[in-house]
Amino acid sequence: MTALSSKEPPIDGGRHDRFTHISATSLASPESSYELQLLGDDEKNHDYEEKSSWRSLFAFTQRQHSGSLFIAIIFGIIAGFPQPVAAIFYGRIFSDMAKFGAGNATGAETLKSISLWCITLTAIGAATWLVQGIALLAEMIFGELQAKNVRKKMFEGMVDKEMEWYDLRKDGIASLLTRIQTQARELQLAVSQPLGFFITELSGSIVALGVALFYSWKLTLVLFATIPVAAVLLTWISSKIGPAIEQQKIELMRASKVVNTSFSAINVVKAFNGQEQEVWQYHTIIKRVAEKYLVQARANAFQVGITRFMMIGIFVQGFWYGLYLVQRGLDSGRVVTTFYACLFAMQAIVILLPHWMVIKKGMSAGETLKTIMVRMQSEHKSTTMTGTLRPDICEGDIEIKEVAFSYPSNPRQQVLTRSTFFFPAHETTFVVGKSGSGKSTVGNLLLKYYSATSGEILVDGRLIQDLDAVWLRQNITLVQQDTILFNDTILQNIAFGRSDPVTEKDVLKAASTTDLTQTIMDLPEGLETVVGTNGKALSGGQQQRVALARARLRDTPILILDESTSALDRTSREKVMAEIRKWRERKTTIIITHDVSQIEEKDYVYVMERGVVVQEGYRKNLEEKKHGRFSMFLEADQPSPAMLEEEDTPITPGRRNSEPTSPTVSTIEESEGNRLLIATKHQHNRISIILGFTKPPVNSLIRSPNLLGNNRFSLDILAAQTNYFREQEMWSTPPPPSVSAFQSQSNRQSVVPTSAAPEIKGEYSSFLTGSTLVETSPSSTPQTTQLPFVTQAGLGEVNRKGLKSEAKLSLPTINTAITRNDLPKVEKTPLRTDPSDDRDQYEEEEETASMTTVLKTVWPTLGKFDRLIFVLGVIASTVVAGATPVFAWVFGKLLTVFWLKVNQSAEGRKWALALLGIAIVDGIAFFTSRYASEYVGQAWVSSLRVEALKRILAQPKSWFDKPKNSPGRLTECLDRDAEEMRNLIGRFAAPVYVVLWILAISVTWALIISWKLALVALACAPVMFLVTRTFDRVSSIWESKCNHASESTATIFSEVFSNIRVVRALTLEDYFETKHSKSTSTTYKTGVSRAMYSGLFFGLVEAVSMFTTALVFYYGAVMITNGENTVTHVLQVVNLLLFGIANSTAIIALIPQVESSRTTATRMLYLATLPYHTSHEHQGAARLETPFPIEFKDCNFTYPSRPGSRSLKRVSLMIKEGTYTAIVGPSGSGKSTIATLLLALYPPDPLPTTITNTNSQSSPTPSPLTFSSHPITSLNIPSLRTHIAIVPQTALLFPTTIYQNIIYGLPESSSFHCRKAAMHAATQAGIHDFIMSLELGYNTLIGDGGMGLSGGQGQRICIARALVRRPKLLILDEATSALDAVSAAGIRETITNLMTKPRDGGEVGKLTVVVISHSTEMMRMASEVVVIERGRVVEKGGFEELKRRGGAFARLIGAKKVGLGFGNWGEGGWSPGLGVGMADLTPVRARSKWSWNRIGSI
């Protein structure tokens, strides 16, 4: 069997540095001020305290990079020589022509001399090819080295950080990771070609200035007399750019946070119709982004306009002095050479300025990344976390003595208060308690994620702070409820459990322990099945089994199970627990659970409440204390059938002999428990009392940060809530030719139910009942579909009450439509998604869109004012284009004045004034063109961003399941790609347009003046086009390859730090560091290949332009000497062509940057032109006032991402109004799939279109899923979702206030969008009293950057979010899996009350409940229980009825057992399994923990 490569144990165990908060941004709001204070006043807004400078560009430059940097600088400087040196020979050629024109030289002499200079120009061209090619090669390699080093340093720095550092990221880890990738990209771009351009153009400018000074220092000083004033002005303007860049960066981080939230929590967004809210808040932030960018654009445009004016204006002031010098005997050729040299010097500055903003952004990015690195490296090390002891063996004896602890992000809240535990070696110990009592914190402390505030933790008698953290984690395995799997195969995910090489046999053996073998066999690819991001290809139960199998393979001396079987059905849980008990014989095991049925009579139990151990002892003893805390769990959770049938084994009432001789804590007196119990008996109808939240202390709120990326998402707290009237204004995107998912107000009005509705009674009135169906007339909207994002509960009722939209403030329309005709051409080609991955996993990717396709999308996205700016920019660019050849012609006329015999002053004055007018017009036009281009580019990108988010959120759930549409990639596209693609319009479009006009004008003018000479120049055009086209194609291919390689590297980076807890717990740091290093090396090698090809063709383009110039000069000389043309005409043509070629070359030099922007634009345009109408969610138009009855008829379903495995097979099921249906079955049987179908996240598999009857006639096939007798395909899905609310198994909470989490998705016009409704729902969910105990109450921030909640607290907020909208159908998908028995009992009572008791208006409740659960008590409440096995309905009926049958349901709930041994059900019935009986329990060693000698410090 081939061994799998796996990780090597890290050599260095010193990854224990403790760092303080260095988050780049924070959300400033009144609601967040308290939380920010908790993070430390000295940590606020210090990320950009250091001003960026040139040194920032080289913050990650190392000594080994100096070679490429040295070559880039040297050859960049040399590359600046050809133009000013060529100016010398231009002057010589001009001088020879002037001599011939004056009759001072013969034609033969003139032609010979000019031929020599032309040959010299050709040689300069060849040298240019070599020098500029090498310069670009070295520049791009240096950029790749910087990007590689940034990735490496950031990975190494972050992987060494303690959990405290991650907890204190105010905007969460996801947005931070996105910004790091973006900043690395901006730094790489800046230090590549733009920096090379800067060096080359600066060098050229200095050389040109030197040439000018050499030929006439007096004239040069006069020409540049006003330059110091201009330099001061330009510097002042430049100072405005830096702060604007930083502010834009902050807003972009917020925008990334919003979209990452939307994509990560897409199920919640769709289920609660939250798309409009997400788009609106994103639109609000993007507007601020645009404002900050336009500040930069204005400053840069002023710089360019002033420089352009100076470039032409200096010749006016210098002409008179030049004429004076010529009259005093200075050679006119030297004057012309000085003029050309000064012109080249100014042109270099003009060419440089557009790149300056890129360089400034690179400086800012380098400073930002450096600041993060410096703070990570300079923060003090925690002496309590840097142990070095690595004992030879680990016995597994754990002592926790008087430990107090509060999480770093919330130091005021005590999570543990003087808690004492003893977990003896070789025994199994249970820890139980209510949600938020501090149970999971014990595991966090034992894994050394944090250090205790006070008290001691000892492992085998050694202080935990003295032990090496890596050694500790290699000997302790923590399996948490929120299972995290990596985007790899099942085989590799299990193999991660062991550092040594692993065979498939080892993996299968571990899988058999967790009852995973059958699941693997059922998968088409078996162990090679890729589980997807966060294991989304598997069910919750299957994910937990994989995690347990990984723990089994790891087989450490100490095992901590934190609700690790909560997603398993009872039978599976009991089988797995039996295997675990057998496996963990004589091994230390700590089980943290809410399920007291797992605890056997001889198991020792700690009961926690509010961070304190309130009871401890053997279960049998605790049961006898009727008023103790443990008894409350027993009363709320009925004993399992196994426990009822067990033999009553007597247990010694004393303490176990391995416990400390003195009690860990005196049993918290029963008097308090009595009072609580009495209060409960007298006020049992009050949910808050039942849940034990009568007087919760502040410290019940704990920080249990989740960095795993699957149960907390980002939602910007500054975003305004969307309402119906915003919809009417905002969603007015002009419809595409065939379909519009965002219709105008008139279209939406046609689908509002027309039946008269009864008036609402009370603030919490229910929805209208009945089965009235309202359909839109097809004729009313012949080419449109219905609005996909409809409002939530209560909207229709509010409108029918006559609320007028005019009362609301009108909001600006977001007009971002792009027709499907503008969709870039996409050809599907196989592409490896991960260069470092050995799997044959391919995905389709689009080919780079043509420039024409990209530019076609600009005009449709612009608003009226934006289009006006666009037209103004085109006019200004046209003026600039015309001014250049006019300047060249006037300049030529001005030069001829130098050899005029008469009337020099008059002619000179005329052409000098003309030149001054051109300078003024050109400067204003250049500013207008530049700013208009940037303005339009930003408007274009802003519209595309919002449109892309609209269309992305309109896609079906299956679209998000594709690897290329992962949240990270989509977020990066909207962030980095959008920023880069703006350059196509902002930086490149106007210059290209100007150059085309310049060429057209220059060539036409040249043809008029001297058609022969112009045709000779045009003869070189095909060669220039071929070279340019080849350069463009090569750049495009390699840019695409580099982008895909960097995406793969970024994916690894994000996966590691999104799941850092699991990486840390499994000591996988070295494995992923190696994997990331290999990926960065692959990316670097790809970049080097791109640099080589780009350098080759870049230098060739420059050379061809120089060859063409030499040819034009030579043929011009031939024409002059042959008498075919005059010197004046030839000079005019040469000037025109010279300026045209120079401008063309400058544009061609931008091809690598243009290709980079075009490649990123392709992905962005693909997203912005996604179709609305292809999703099943937008096919139907009918709206129902009630969805009942809901019927599944022979329904089949296959997940699109797993076409070879059918999840549901011929399922038939009816859900009637007012019923309680429990859908139960083993893990992975398809239960949650039914919930996804009810929410229409996926469509059911289509049935055959026709069936043949006995008369051989075809008749329609019934729909596999109907609501109120209407096929789901005919319904408006967003409207359907307004009747449904779901509570998912994983608490999906947004990092915003508790209040905004509860009302998420509700429009402001809804009657339930108010604090009173939120408080009412929270009370029903049993969380209100807890919320009110917090300092900020409902304004308390939770999630990333805010307070942490326990799993149970988060789940209750999710329940409140579902209840606040008063749904007609409530889906509970394992909604109580994270709740303790007492809290779960409260939720059950709430559901019962909602279904049976009158509502606020006195109407009998019509709530229908569908429960997907493994909880027997949740099943017991059901009017019908539906048993699903392997995607089929195997049993239906009442709870007691199915239990008596003794079939699948009875097996599922474990109603039959043989003793205590767990077995398997087969065809022959129940057979003994691998469990162990009570008598087989390992005896406890006779010792006390106090007898251990302190080993402490060695």
Side-chain angles (χ1 to χ4, degrees), residues 58 61 65-80 130-146 190-203 1091 1098:
F58 309 101
T61 301
H65 304 163
S66 57
S68 60
L69 179 59
F70 178 77
I71 294 173
I73 292 175
I74 295 300
F75 279 87
I77 292 173
I78 297 174
L130 177 65
V131 171
Q132 292 198 352
I134 294 176
L136 182 65
L137 169 65
E139 291 157 8
M140 296 182 76
I141 290 178
F142 179 69
E144 293 292 340
L145 285 170
Q146 298 311 287
V191 298
S192 297
Q193 198 176 13
L195 180 61
F197 269 133
F198 182 88
I199 295 173
T200 298
E201 298 302 335
L202 182 62
S203 168
F1098 178 74

Side-chain angles (χ1 to χ4, degrees), residues 1213-1214 1220-1225 1411 1413 1415-1428 1433-1443 1445 1448-1450 1452-1453:
L1213 171 66
M1214 179 173 287
Y1220 183 122
T1221 304
I1223 300 175
V1224 303
V1411 168
S1413 180
S1415 168
T1416 304
E1417 295 308 312
M1418 294 293 285
M1419 301 176 194
R1420 195 186 302 275
M1421 296 170 59
S1423 54
E1424 182 180 40
V1425 177
V1426 180
V1427 185
I1428 306 288
V1433 176
V1434 295
E1435 275 189 324
K1436 284 193 289 187
F1439 179 88
E1440 295 298 335
E1441 174 191 353
L1442 294 180
K1443 183 179 176 182
R1445 286 184 192 174
F1449 180 72
L1452 183 70
I1453 64 174

Side-chain angles (χ1 to χ4, degrees), residues 822-1111:
D822 297 321
L823 180 67
K825 179 182 178 182
V826 177
E827 295 183 7
K828 304 297 183 181
T829 55
L831 174 72
R832 289 296 293 269
T833 60
D834 186 350
S836 64
D837 196 334
D838 295 332
R839 301 189 308 273
D840 293 329
Q841 182 181 351
Y842 293 84
E843 62 182 52
E844 296 178 339
E845 194 61 65
E846 58 273 7
E847 188 179 279
T848 304
S850 67
M851 189 63 70
T852 303
T853 301
V854 173
L855 296 179
K856 278 183 179 180
T857 65
V858 176
W859 184 261
T861 63
L862 302 179
K864 291 182 179 179
F865 182 76
D866 300 334
R867 291 181 178 183
L868 180 63
I869 298 296
F870 179 87
V871 173
L872 182 62
V874 171
I875 295 173
S877 298
T878 306
V879 172
V880 171
T884 301
V886 170
F887 164 72
W889 182 75
V890 172
F891 189 58
K893 286 288 188 181
L894 194 65
L895 294 180
T896 60
V897 174
F898 287 121
W899 65 77
L900 288 179
K901 302 297 184 181
V902 294
N903 207 20
Q904 271 190 327
S905 297
E907 285 295 308
R909 185 183 305 109
K910 179 177 70 175
W911 297 117
L913 290 175
L915 209 60
L916 180 62
I918 292 172
I920 295 172
V921 172
D922 188 60
I924 296 173
F926 219 91
F927 164 79
T928 305
S929 172
R930 176 72 179 169
Y931 181 66
S933 298
E934 293 284 13
Y935 184 96
V936 171
Q938 182 60 52
W940 175 52
V941 168
S942 296
S943 297
L944 286 177
R945 277 173 160 154
V946 177
E947 183 69 15
L949 183 58
K950 285 183 186 180
R951 292 177 181 261
I952 288 170
L953 296 181
Q955 299 310 299
K957 177 62 172 62
S958 57
W959 186 84
F960 293 88
D961 295 338
K962 298 178 181 178
K964 71 174 183 178
N965 299 325
S966 65
R969 288 193 179 186
L970 294 174
T971 302
E972 185 178 6
C973 180
L974 292 179
D975 182 32
R976 192 201 81 183
D977 291 359
E979 285 294 291
E980 283 194 42
M981 71 177 290
R982 181 186 53 229
N983 292 333
L984 289 176
I985 302 300
R987 288 180 55 205
F988 307 137
V992 169
Y993 175 81
V994 168
V995 166
L996 291 176
W997 269 105
I998 288 174
L999 284 175
I1001 295 172
S1002 299
V1003 171
T1004 303
W1005 206 335
L1007 286 170
I1008 293 173
I1009 296 173
S1010 177
W1011 63 271
K1012 285 186 178 181
L1013 184 57
L1015 286 179
V1016 169
L1018 289 176
C1020 300
V1023 178
M1024 180 71 77
F1025 175 80
L1026 179 62
V1027 173
T1028 303
R1029 183 60 182 166
T1030 304
F1031 185 27
D1032 176 72
R1033 181 61 180 167
V1034 169
S1035 296
S1036 176
I1037 292 173
W1038 282 102
E1039 185 64 33
S1040 180
K1041 290 182 178 180
C1042 286
N1043 278 347
H1044 293 312
S1046 63
E1047 280 182 7
S1048 299
T1049 304
T1051 299
I1052 298 172
F1053 187 85
S1054 298
E1055 183 178 35
V1056 170
F1057 295 111
S1058 296
N1059 306 320
I1060 187 63
R1061 283 178 177 269
V1062 179
V1063 172
R1064 196 67 54 81
L1066 297 175
T1067 61
L1068 291 172
E1069 294 95 334
D1070 282 5
Y1071 170 83
F1072 279 109
E1073 194 167 335
T1074 301
K1075 183 177 181 180
H1076 183 262
S1077 178
K1078 289 180 180 178
S1079 183
T1080 54
S1081 296
T1082 301
T1083 304
Y1084 169 72
K1085 291 176 183 177
T1086 307
V1088 170
S1089 299
R1090 177 187 63 165
M1092 294 176 63
Y1093 284 99
S1094 297
L1096 173 66
F1097 288 97
F1098 178 74
L1100 182 59
V1101 169
E1102 291 284 340
V1104 171
S1105 66
M1106 191 68 76
F1107 298 157
T1108 304
T1109 302
L1111 178 62

Side-chain angles (χ1 to χ4, degrees), residues 441-473:
T441 302
V442 174
N444 289 333
L445 293 177
L446 289 178
L447 276 178
K448 213 172 179 181
Y449 287 157
Y450 309 95
S451 57
T453 306
S454 63
E456 291 182 338
I457 302 177
L458 298 96
V459 177
D460 290 348
R462 295 177 174 89
L463 290 171
I464 194 171
Q465 56 263 36
D466 295 335
L467 294 172
D468 178 74
V470 175
W471 177 89
L472 193 69
R473 291 163 189 164

Side-chain angles (χ1 to χ4, degrees), residues 406-718:
S406 57
Y407 283 97
S409 60
N410 190 14
R412 298 184 183 181
Q413 309 295 331
Q414 285 284 348
V415 181
L416 294 179
T417 305
R418 301 191 64 182
S419 299
T420 300
F421 303 85
F422 176 49
F423 305 108
H426 315 303
E427 288 193 29
T428 296
T429 308
F430 284 80
V431 180
V432 300
K434 293 181 180 179
S435 303
S437 60
K439 304 183 302 297
S440 297
T441 302
V442 174
N444 289 333
L445 293 177
L446 289 178
L447 276 178
K448 213 172 179 181
Y449 287 157
Y450 309 95
S451 57
T453 306
S454 63
E456 291 182 338
I457 302 177
L458 298 96
V459 177
D460 290 348
R462 295 177 174 89
L463 290 171
I464 194 171
Q465 56 263 36
D466 295 335
L467 294 172
D468 178 74
V470 175
W471 177 89
L472 193 69
R473 291 163 189 164
Q474 287 172 343
N475 287 278
I476 300 178
T477 298
L478 172 63
V479 183
Q480 296 178 309
Q481 179 180 5
D482 298 323
T483 305
I484 289 299
L485 303 180
F486 297 98
N487 189 17
D488 215 311
T489 63
I490 294 176
L491 181 67
Q492 187 62 56
N493 267 285
I494 297 176
F496 280 142
R498 186 180 295 175
S499 58
D500 302 325
V502 178
T503 64
E504 288 188 11
K505 182 178 179 181
D506 297 327
V507 171
L508 289 173
K509 182 178 179 181
S512 65
T513 303
T514 60
D515 200 24
L516 189 62
T517 307
Q518 187 60 50
T519 299
I520 295 173
M521 292 175 60
D522 291 341
L523 295 172
E525 298 180 16
L527 283 172
E528 296 299 325
T529 301
V530 178
V531 301
T533 305
N534 290 330
K536 62 186 178 183
L538 303 178
S539 71
Q542 291 168 341
Q543 291 180 41
Q544 284 192 339
R545 287 174 177 171
V546 172
L548 288 169
R550 184 166 61 198
R552 177 64 183 90
L553 186 65
R554 191 173 175 82
D555 197 18
T556 53
I558 302 172
L559 174 67
I560 306 172
L561 302 179
D562 188 356
E563 296 289 354
S564 58
T565 60
S566 60
L568 302 181
D569 59 271
R570 180 177 290 274
T571 300
S572 297
R573 184 162 60 243
E574 290 174 349
K575 290 169 66 178
V576 169
M577 284 303 299
E579 289 289 334
I580 290 175
R581 284 183 180 273
K582 180 180 179 181
W583 157 38
R584 299 303 298 177
E585 286 185 50
R586 298 192 60 78
K587 294 179 182 178
T588 306
T589 307
I590 303 171
I591 301 179
I592 300 168
T593 184
H594 291 131
D595 184 10
V596 295
S597 66
Q598 298 180 17
I599 307 173
E600 298 179 358
E601 290 191 347
K602 276 197 171 183
D603 288 328
Y604 200 82
V605 183
Y606 286 97
V607 183
M608 296 192 67
E609 186 170 312
R610 302 172 187 175
V612 177
V613 177
V614 295
Q615 246 186 335
E616 62 172 294
Y618 293 99
R619 170 172 176 153
K620 180 66 175 178
N621 296 339
L622 296 179
E623 285 178 342
E624 295 173 355
K625 300 175 182 179
K626 300 302 182 183
H627 302 301
R629 293 296 192 274
F630 187 74
S631 64
M632 296 177 62
F633 293 98
L634 294 176
E635 292 174 7
D637 186 73
Q638 294 294 327
S640 67
M643 299 301 289
L644 294 176
E645 297 175 13
E646 281 184 26
E647 179 184 354
D648 188 9
T649 306
I651 298 179
T652 305
R655 307 177 67 82
R656 57 179 175 176
N657 57 0
S658 62
E659 296 174 37
T661 54
S662 58
T664 56
V665 60
S666 58
T667 305
I668 292 193
E669 305 310 320
E670 315 298 358
S671 57
E672 183 183 350
N674 292 338
R675 289 196 298 272
L676 179 62
L677 194 59
I678 292 170
T680 304
K681 291 179 179 178
H682 286 291
Q683 303 179 37
H684 61 275
N685 59 329
R686 294 183 58 187
I687 301 302
S688 60
I689 299 297
I690 291 179
L691 296 178
F693 289 117
T694 305
K695 296 180 180 179
V698 177
N699 68 2
S700 60
L701 174 63
I702 71 168
R703 173 63 172 170
S704 180
N706 183 354
L707 301 172
L708 306 181
N710 69 334
N711 74 340
R712 287 200 174 92
F713 303 97
S714 303
L715 179 65
D716 197 296
I717 63 172
L718 303 178

Side-chain angles (χ1 to χ4, degrees), residues 1287 1302 1318 1321-1322 1325 1327 1355-1365:
V1287 180
I1302 293 176
I1327 195 71
Q1355 206 158 42
R1356 284 196 291 274
I1357 291 178
C1358 290
I1359 293 171
R1361 180 174 60 195
L1363 296 180
V1364 73
R1365 57 204 69 233

Side-chain angles (χ1 to χ4, degrees), residues 1062-1368:
V1062 179
V1063 172
R1064 196 67 54 81
L1066 297 175
T1067 61
L1068 291 172
E1069 294 95 334
D1070 282 5
Y1071 170 83
F1072 279 109
E1073 194 167 335
T1074 301
K1075 183 177 181 180
H1076 183 262
S1077 178
K1078 289 180 180 178
S1079 183
T1080 54
S1081 296
T1082 301
T1083 304
Y1084 169 72
K1085 291 176 183 177
T1086 307
V1088 170
S1089 299
R1090 177 187 63 165
M1092 294 176 63
Y1093 284 99
S1094 297
L1096 173 66
F1097 288 97
F1098 178 74
L1100 182 59
V1101 169
E1102 291 284 340
V1104 171
S1105 66
M1106 191 68 76
F1107 298 157
T1108 304
T1109 302
L1111 178 62
V1112 170
F1113 270 122
Y1114 173 76
Y1115 190 70
V1118 170
M1119 294 183 70
I1120 291 173
T1121 55
N1122 290 340
E1124 297 181 31
N1125 219 324
T1126 65
V1127 174
T1128 301
H1129 286 169
V1130 169
L1131 284 176
Q1132 289 175 354
V1133 171
V1134 167
N1135 270 330
L1136 288 169
L1137 296 178
L1138 198 61
F1139 276 98
I1141 292 171
N1143 282 279
S1144 301
T1145 304
I1147 293 302
I1148 293 172
L1150 296 174
I1151 283 179
Q1153 297 180 64
V1154 172
E1155 286 306 317
S1156 176
S1157 298
R1158 185 162 69 95
T1159 302
T1160 57
T1162 300
R1163 175 70 171 163
M1164 185 68 187
L1165 290 175
Y1166 166 73
L1167 297 177
T1169 54
L1170 287 168
Y1172 288 126
H1173 63 280
T1174 56
S1175 172
H1176 69 280
E1177 299 177 0
H1178 312 138
Q1179 298 295 326
R1183 297 172 182 248
L1184 304 174
E1185 290 191 0
T1186 181
F1188 304 110
I1190 303 171
E1191 187 173 7
F1192 291 83
K1193 298 179 181 177
D1194 292 330
C1195 181
N1196 297 319
F1197 176 72
T1198 305
Y1199 283 99
S1201 59
R1202 290 172 278 165
S1205 177
R1206 178 165 286 181
S1207 299
L1208 295 181
K1209 305 167 186 175
R1210 299 180 63 85
V1211 170
S1212 295
L1213 171 66
M1214 179 173 287
I1215 301 171
K1216 298 180 180 179
E1217 186 173 12
T1219 59
Y1220 183 122
T1221 304
I1223 300 175
V1224 303
S1227 304
S1229 59
K1231 306 183 299 299
S1232 295
T1233 300
I1234 293 178
T1236 64
L1237 294 182
L1238 288 172
L1239 286 167
L1241 294 176
Y1242 299 93
D1245 292 349
L1247 295 175
T1249 55
T1250 60
I1251 56 175
T1252 305
N1253 58 23
T1254 54
N1255 297 325
S1256 298
Q1257 296 177 344
S1258 297
S1259 59
T1261 302
S1263 172
L1265 177 58
T1266 60
F1267 290 80
S1268 188
S1269 302
H1270 294 87
I1272 190 171
T1273 53
S1274 68
L1275 300 179
N1276 180 279
I1277 300 304
S1279 175
L1280 176 66
R1281 288 173 182 158
T1282 62
H1283 302 304
I1284 306 172
I1286 186 171
V1287 180
Q1289 178 177 357
T1290 303
L1292 299 174
L1293 296 178
F1294 298 85
T1296 181
T1297 63
I1298 294 175
Y1299 172 67
Q1300 299 230 1
N1301 265 287
I1302 293 176
I1303 64 168
Y1304 177 76
L1306 286 173
E1308 289 181 359
S1309 56
S1310 170
S1311 60
F1312 306 120
H1313 189 287
C1314 61
R1315 191 167 294 268
K1316 183 177 178 181
M1319 293 171 69
H1320 184 74
T1323 301
Q1324 291 178 318
I1327 195 71
H1328 171 71
D1329 291 337
F1330 165 74
I1331 296 172
M1332 294 307 296
S1333 71
L1334 307 177
E1335 184 170 345
L1336 296 179
Y1338 283 83
N1339 290 332
T1340 301
L1341 287 175
I1342 57 177
D1344 288 339
M1347 300 297 120
L1349 299 177
S1350 69
Q1353 290 163 345
Q1355 206 158 42
R1356 284 196 291 274
I1357 291 178
C1358 290
I1359 293 171
R1361 180 174 60 195
L1363 296 180
V1364 73
R1365 57 204 69 233
R1366 310 297 287 170
K1368 294 181 179 177

